[in-house]
Amino acid sequence: MHGLINRAIQRFAEETLGPPVWREVLDEVAPGLDGFEAMLTYDDALTEAVLAALCARTGTPREMLLEDVGTFLVSHPTTEALRRLLRFGGEGYADFLLSLDDLPDRARLAVPDLDLPPIEVTEAGPGHYRLAVAGGWPGLVPVLLGLLRAMADDYGALALVSVEATDATGARLDVRVAEAAFSEGRRFELARRAGG
């Protein structure tokens, strides 16, 4: 598992559950490990053990915890860089959705050894989109679900995002945008102001 994924889980746990809970989880599953480095690779079993320990401590089902991680990645102040990167996908939520086809390639430009699975986006009708995610880590789908819902809020769109189907080859997600300009959305400027 790429360290960026493990690091995202760590930041989520530290910020939402607190550093003491995160320390307890690490002591349980990997005594002696201080934390995850973003640019290293870790055994998938370690990631799954961390997730299982977090779920046990919080009483949260795995998919729900991972969806919360996806929401955190877009909405928490400490992850503003990722939010900015995603907002470059388009001016509105529909533009953002249609830009997801390019996300794995854009991610590889920033982190060459980060292997995100292909995402194919199709328009199924007005305001209706289908995303096909081909393979990849099974935890990616709930993370993506949380991220897509948080991005809808970020753009001010009213959208229903759900998992249509999952199997060994990947997953299909369904996004229905009921209203593109439902609320004001979060402020976003292409260029940051000096000092900001």
Side-chain angles (χ1 to χ4, degrees), residues 3 23 43 45 50 68 80 86-87 90 95 104 115 120 123-124 126 138 146 152 162 164 171 179 183 185 189:
R23 183 73 257 161
D43 191 300
V50 165
D68 290 345
E80 182 65 21
L86 292 171
R87 284 295 297 255
D95 298 326
D115 189 25
E120 182 183 329
E123 288 186 74
S162 60
E164 201 172 74
E179 195 170 333
S183 65
E189 295 176 355

Side-chain angles (χ1 to χ4, degrees), residues 14-178:
E14 288 175 331
E15 294 288 340
T16 62
L17 305 174
V21 171
W22 175 247
R23 183 73 257 161
E24 289 172 13
V25 166
L26 277 186
D27 288 345
E28 176 186 326
V29 301
L33 183 66
D34 287 330
F36 293 109
E37 295 294 328
M39 300 311 288
L40 296 180
T41 302
Y42 297 88
D43 191 300
D44 289 357
L46 177 58
T47 305
E48 293 303 330
V50 165
L51 288 171
L54 286 170
C55 290
R57 276 201 172 46
T58 61
T60 306
R62 182 178 186 277
E63 283 72 27
M64 189 178 294
L65 182 88
L66 287 169
E67 187 176 329
D68 290 345
V69 170
T71 301
F72 171 84
L73 288 173
V74 172
S75 60
H76 199 272
T78 62
T79 58
E80 182 65 21
L82 177 60
R83 173 190 175 251
R84 288 188 59 75
L85 181 66
L86 292 171
R87 284 295 297 255
F88 279 110
E91 191 173 319
Y93 187 60
D95 298 326
F96 161 74
L97 290 171
L98 293 170
S99 78
L100 290 174
D101 286 346
D102 299 329
L103 185 61
D105 291 333
R106 284 188 282 151
R108 272 190 291 282
L109 285 174
V111 185
D113 59 340
L114 180 61
D115 189 25
L116 293 179
I119 301 172
E120 182 183 329
V121 182
T122 56
E123 288 186 74
H128 185 194
Y129 304 86
R130 289 210 167 98
L131 284 67
V133 182
W137 174 53
L140 179 64
V141 172
V143 170
L144 186 57
L145 194 63
L147 186 140
L148 291 172
R149 288 176 176 161
M151 286 303 291
D153 290 343
D154 201 85
Y155 277 101
L158 177 61
L160 176 63
V161 185
S162 60
V163 176
E164 201 172 74
T166 58
D167 58 31
T169 62
R172 288 188 313 278
L173 284 76
D174 189 74
V175 182
R176 295 175 188 265
V177 181

